[in-house]
Amino acid sequence: MSLLAPARRTFRAAAEAILPAATTLDESGWASVERIVQDALAQRPRKAQRQIVMFLRVLNVYPVLRHRRRFSELPRETRERVLHDLERARHVLLRRGVWGLRTLVFMGYYTQPVHSASIGYRASPRGWKALRT
C-alpha cells in the first residue's frame, strides 16, 4: 500500500488549495504527483513519513468544529483559509506541517517537465553547459 493512500483525499484537497493549477490534473497527473511525493518520502526516515501522514489526518478533522465538515469536503476557498490559519498557528508542529506539505506539493507538481516548462523553469541536470549549447 502506498504511503499516501490512507490520506489521499486530504492530500489532493490540500494540493488544490495550495496550488490551484492542480485542479486541472487528471487521474494520471495525480498519479505522477503522488509517485514523486512518495518517492521523496520513501527516502526520509520512518518517523518523518508517519508525521506527514499524521498531519494530513489532523488537517482533515481540524475544521470540523468550525465548519462542520472535514477539510477534504470544504470548498477550495475555505481550504485555503484553513491552511492560511494553520501556517500562522501558535503550535510550531502545525506550521511545519503546512510548510512541509506545501513543499511536497510543489515538488510533486513542478518537477514534472511539462509543468516546470509552463513557468519558464529551465534548470537542467547538465548545469550551465545546458545553457551554452
Side-chain angles (χ1 to χ4, degrees), residues 69-130:
R69 289 194 274 177
R70 293 178 180 265
F71 181 82
S72 59
E73 299 165 346
L74 294 171
R76 187 168 56 84
E77 295 78 21
T78 309
R79 284 182 268 149
E80 289 173 3
R81 283 197 306 270
V82 169
L83 288 171
H84 186 68
D85 289 346
L86 286 175
E87 72 184 8
R88 293 179 177 191
R90 289 186 338 172
H91 301 286
V92 68
L93 292 177
L94 294 174
R95 293 193 308 265
R96 285 182 185 162
V98 171
W99 287 104
L101 182 58
R102 180 174 306 192
T103 300
L104 290 171
V105 168
F106 286 159
M107 179 185 60
Y109 188 82
Y110 285 118
T111 55
Q112 298 179 55
V114 66
H115 300 301
S116 59
S118 71
I119 60 169
Y121 186 71
R122 300 182 306 165
S124 168
R126 293 178 30 220
W128 292 108
K129 292 178 184 175

Side-chain angles (χ1 to χ4, degrees), residues 4-120:
L4 291 177
R8 175 171 284 127
R9 192 168 175 201
T10 306
F11 175 78
R12 290 183 178 189
E16 289 177 352
I18 292 167
L19 182 65
T23 59
T24 63
L25 291 173
D26 59 9
E27 193 55 40
S28 68
W30 278 114
S32 295
V33 169
E34 291 171 5
R35 181 183 42 77
I36 291 167
V37 169
Q38 289 182 59
D39 288 349
L41 287 175
Q43 298 172 23
R44 307 293 300 166
R46 280 261 203 236
K47 182 178 178 184
Q49 295 174 11
R50 284 193 306 269
Q51 286 173 334
I52 195 69
V53 172
M54 178 60 74
F55 177 74
L56 287 167
R57 289 180 172 161
V58 169
L59 176 62
N60 202 31
V61 296
Y62 179 80
V64 169
L65 287 178
R66 185 171 184 183
H67 300 284
R68 301 181 192 270
R69 289 194 274 177
R70 293 178 180 265
F71 181 82
S72 59
E73 299 165 346
L74 294 171
R76 187 168 56 84
E77 295 78 21
T78 309
R79 284 182 268 149
E80 289 173 3
R81 283 197 306 270
V82 169
L83 288 171
H84 186 68
D85 289 346
L86 286 175
E87 72 184 8
R88 293 179 177 191
R90 289 186 338 172
H91 301 286
V92 68
L93 292 177
L94 294 174
R95 293 193 308 265
R96 285 182 185 162
V98 171
W99 287 104
L101 182 58
R102 180 174 306 192
T103 300
L104 290 171
V105 168
F106 286 159
M107 179 185 60
Y109 188 82
Y110 285 118
T111 55
Q112 298 179 55
V114 66
H115 300 301
S116 59
S118 71
I119 60 169

